[in-house]
Amino acid sequence: MNIKDVSEQLDVSRETLRYWENIGLLPKVPRNSSGYRDYTENEIKWVLFIKAMRNGGMSVESLVDFVKVYREHKGSRAAQKSLVKEQYEQLVARRDAMNQTINYLKYKLDHFEDHVIPFLEEKNYYELRKKAMLEKQNQDDPEE
């Protein structure tokens, strides 16, 4: 499969595919007799993996580390698992934080009519706030 087809079918720009190959994320893509890249199933699996990890927030640097460990085969299964586990835990933490925000916003929407926004309801909100601030300042720093 040529780079154009891979780019279109996997929704990854040709420039990105070339970049991933140049920095070693993708194995060297075989070339056909005309010298054009000819992606095999192996390279396509790598593209899908890299794309999934990037979509999950893994940095290019971390992916480079993963691929390096994979290719060196030195204790690579444990190291690979550790890198994937770390990414998984980061994603779970981001998901949990996002769920908290979603729940908070849902509560705000569900109770939106119950909330009063003071500066929209009181014409002299700013004057009252200024007066309160000055009174607090005078209490904190009383004159001699």
Side-chain angles (χ1 to χ4, degrees), residues 92-105:
V92 168
R94 284 180 36 209
R95 180 202 60 201
D96 292 348
M98 190 170 288
N99 281 338
Q100 285 179 334
T101 302
I102 288 169
N103 291 336
Y104 173 75
L105 292 176

Side-chain angles (χ1 to χ4, degrees), residues 21-53:
E21 183 181 356
N22 288 337
I23 64 170
L25 283 182
L26 281 175
K28 287 290 180 195
V29 178
R31 305 285 179 138
N32 64 20
S33 59
S34 301
Y36 294 107
R37 286 174 176 84
D38 188 18
Y39 287 79
T40 67
E41 185 177 342
N42 181 54
E43 291 83 34
I44 290 170
K45 286 179 182 177
W46 273 103
V47 171
L48 291 170
F49 174 77
I50 294 165
K51 186 177 173 184
M53 298 305 278

Side-chain angles (χ1 to χ4, degrees), residues 6 23 39-40 46-47 66 80 89 91 96 112 143:
V6 172
I23 64 170
Y39 287 79
T40 67
W46 273 103
V47 171
F66 178 88
Q80 290 170 31
E89 289 169 353
L91 280 173
D96 292 348
F112 194 78
E143 292 184 39

